[in-house]
Amino acid sequence: MSQNGLETEPTELDHELRAERHVLEHARRCLAAMRRRAESLSSSSGGDWVSEEVLHWRIQQRIASLADDGSSGLFFGRIDYDDSAEPPDARFYLGRRHVVDDEGDPVVIDWRARLAHPFYRATPRNRFGVRLRRRFGYQRGALTSFQDEPLYLGEDDGTADRLLAAEIERPRIGPMRDIVATIQPEQDDLIRAPLSDTIVVQGGPGTGKTAVGLHRIAYLLYEHRERLERDAVLVVGPSAAYLAFIHDVLPGLGEVRVEQRSVADLAPGVRPLRSDPGEVAAVKADARMDEVVRRAVFRHVRWPAEALRLRWSSRVVDVPAAALRQEVAALLARGVRYHIGRAQLRQWLLDRCHRHLVSTDALSALDTARDVERAIGGSAELRRFLDRTWPLLSPARVVFKLLSDRSVLAAAADGVLDRAETERLARARPRGGFRRVSWSLEDAYLVDEATDVIEGTRTYGHVVADEAQDLSPMQLRAVGRRCRYGSATVLGDLAQGTSPWAAGGWEDAFPHLGKAQPRVEVLPRAFRVPRQVLDFANRLLPAIAPQVDPAASVRSVPGSLELRATSPERFTGEWLGALAEALAAEGSVGLIAADPRIPEIRAELERRRLDFRMVERFDLATPLSLVPASTVKGLEFDQVVLLEPADVVDGDPQGLRRLYIALTRAVSHLCVVHARPLPYLLATDTSAAGA
């Protein structure tokens, strides 16, 4: 262990370490006291039952945010200021949440506070008044070490990089953890960006773009608590496995009220159970479908052919057909949402009736507009007229009819889609009708579009969309309308696009997202993937994404890449041996293979009674996850064993990109086992690769 970069006497070091442990124990006692104070409020009364429910909910959220699981330290860093700073000669401990003592004085400063900013930005050339930065090491929640960066020396001795590497390489099993102890300046800039900014973050494997998005949420909730708790925050991820992977990050930072949904679950009320053929899915995903869906909705509006007669007591109010058609035309021209159009047509009729009754002295002094509305508004005549002219609609039924009724589809698609595209969309009406319909993922987004046209979509104060390079235009529209009045953080890597509509450039996505001029920021440095592994994978970039500049890894880990060539007869034994070595190391293990191979690999693992989970579980007690190549995007493991890259390439039209993703999931070590030749871009001398 070192302090200020120098060896120290054990007694001096022990004294320092004991002192820091006393600070940690004090912080834990203070946090426990804060939690007890919050729990004591649970019996408080808020007045009426609604206020009491809100108060109880807020108190429970507060109690949850003050949890201390004991598995990690309450602070990860310390900054000591010199006499030039404000306040001078101050010392602050930084952690994942704010901790105060009984007097209200800070014991631990929240990493998001402005006082904590210099911890991430101070350098020997620009110290922000920081004299010394200390980082702490923990094992199972116990403070075991510290290391100092003496910034006043005026030069960078590499300590920061060593500490960063040590934290990144710390083994773990289970979901993703936060990066508050290792946030880098370029990441910090994005995390602390203003709420009003919509940012597109382009980052290669291991650059921390997912962590940036999640930590930006935590920061924005800290800075704009009242607004974002009212408007809410949403995270959209590519899969259930991804959500399981990131699930613990925000609660670990004290933020427990953030909605997280996969792309398949974003559209409410529709559960995708099947896949469309590629050419059909491509049409449904096209942005032109928004106009087709809008037409399918508004085709239900019928022009009134007859006058409407509405009764008030003994009086009859006649509304001519021409006036009815004129108002319907005005509403359609206004471009209002469908259900708002129906409500406004109803209100126009009630107002017209009231004005007519007033002008003809048909109302007594005691009759009010509300009386007229109550009597006429509930009449069977008005209800029948509205149901005939502007009927109530179900978004799912609208889409069902659009796709199963050729005449409806032809009318809605006329001039928007060509004949071949329209034919691809048409499908036979299922036996049993609407109740027996089976939806695809692309159908779900058509229904979501119809829902927005008919009744609108709930909006959020901020939305984070990860792996956004794979979102179709219709999916991007769905994300964009959920932050129509808010902002977004869009995360992705153009080189990792595997969907048929993957973006060729981020400018392709902007019109569909609905954000005029989002900032595009690039994370150039990779922290989580070793240099040897990333350089090997980057050989694929000229073929899969020539427009993308390769990320450069800051970590060189000799031996982190291993290529094992074998024969088909010895293949199983070889990968089992590689897996045994990976499991012998500490941390999580991902066994990745092409999707068609997964059943036989699973059967082999079960036959040998190896304890494993399919990837979506991320069981904390089980280090081994079996991962189909199609679902590995966004995930990472300490050790990765990748089987037969050629199978991954052959199994998908975007096979080279699938392989690029699979190759870049390892934090510490990647072992590639293959009996078939490697793809030509990767072919290399095995001994050189492992250097």
Side-chain angles (χ1 to χ4, degrees), residues 16-29:
E16 279 282 307
L17 192 56
R18 282 198 300 271
E20 298 293 17
R21 285 170 175 166
H22 286 317
V23 176
L24 177 62
E25 291 169 3
H26 176 60
R28 290 198 186 282
R29 289 194 297 270

Side-chain angles (χ1 to χ4, degrees), residues 589-648:
V589 178
L591 180 59
I592 305 174
D595 290 34
R597 272 193 180 264
I598 292 297
E600 67 179 79
I601 295 170
R602 180 171 187 165
E604 186 67 28
L605 294 176
E606 291 171 346
R607 188 173 74 82
R608 294 178 179 271
R609 298 185 178 180
L610 290 174
D611 192 13
F612 73 97
R613 294 290 184 273
M614 294 304 292
V615 66
E616 57 268 15
R617 287 292 303 276
F618 283 101
D619 195 307
L620 292 175
T622 306
L624 175 60
S625 294
L626 178 57
V627 195
S630 64
T631 63
V632 75
K633 189 178 297 181
L635 313 181
E636 64 182 33
F637 305 88
D638 293 301
Q639 311 280 329
V640 168
V641 178
L642 172 61
L643 307 186
E644 207 58 270
D647 286 355
V648 176

Side-chain angles (χ1 to χ4, degrees), residues 451-490:
T451 301
D452 190 59
V453 174
I454 293 170
E455 57 197 45
T457 303
R458 178 190 173 180
T459 63
Y460 295 79
H462 192 78
V463 174
V464 169
D466 205 353
E467 302 296 345
Q469 76 280 344
D470 272 335
L471 295 179
S472 72
M474 292 298 284
Q475 290 168 344
L476 285 167
R477 286 178 56 82
V479 170
R481 60 175 159 261
R482 281 166 171 77
C483 57
R484 185 178 278 120
Y485 309 111
S487 58
T489 303
V490 179

Side-chain angles (χ1 to χ4, degrees), residues 385-402:
F385 169 78
L386 291 173
D387 289 344
R388 184 170 61 251
T389 305
W390 209 295
L392 294 171
L393 296 179
S394 157
R397 287 183 178 273
V398 168
V399 173
F400 170 74
K401 191 168 186 178
L402 171 68

Side-chain angles (χ1 to χ4, degrees), residues 484-669:
R484 185 178 278 120
Y485 309 111
S487 58
T489 303
V490 179
L491 312 167
D493 178 13
L494 297 174
Q496 297 185 53
T498 55
S499 69
W501 36 78
W506 288 115
E507 64 279 0
D508 299 338
F510 299 161
H512 310 307
L513 192 62
K515 302 297 179 182
Q517 293 182 323
R519 288 169 48 191
V520 179
E521 300 287 347
V522 177
L523 292 174
R525 298 193 296 163
F527 305 98
R528 307 202 63 78
V529 184
R531 183 179 304 158
Q532 289 78 359
V533 173
L534 188 57
D535 287 351
F536 181 66
N538 281 345
R539 296 179 188 180
L540 298 174
L541 283 180
I544 63 175
Q547 77 278 29
V548 173
D549 293 329
S553 176
V554 303
R555 296 168 52 233
S556 177
V557 183
S560 56
L561 173 63
E562 182 182 1
L563 306 179
R564 293 193 184 185
T566 186
S567 64
E569 296 77 18
R570 301 183 60 184
F571 180 73
T572 299
E574 195 68 39
W575 72 255
L576 284 170
L579 180 60
E581 293 172 17
L583 290 170
E586 190 177 0
S588 59
V589 178
L591 180 59
I592 305 174
D595 290 34
R597 272 193 180 264
I598 292 297
E600 67 179 79
I601 295 170
R602 180 171 187 165
E604 186 67 28
L605 294 176
E606 291 171 346
R607 188 173 74 82
R608 294 178 179 271
R609 298 185 178 180
L610 290 174
D611 192 13
F612 73 97
R613 294 290 184 273
M614 294 304 292
V615 66
E616 57 268 15
R617 287 292 303 276
F618 283 101
D619 195 307
L620 292 175
T622 306
L624 175 60
S625 294
L626 178 57
V627 195
S630 64
T631 63
V632 75
K633 189 178 297 181
L635 313 181
E636 64 182 33
F637 305 88
D638 293 301
Q639 311 280 329
V640 168
V641 178
L642 172 61
L643 307 186
E644 207 58 270
D647 286 355
V648 176
V649 174
D650 292 346
D652 192 303
Q654 297 286 348
L656 278 177
R657 291 191 174 196
R658 295 270 187 215
L659 179 57
Y660 177 75
I661 295 165
L663 287 169
T664 54
R665 301 303 98 191
V667 175
S668 297
H669 184 264

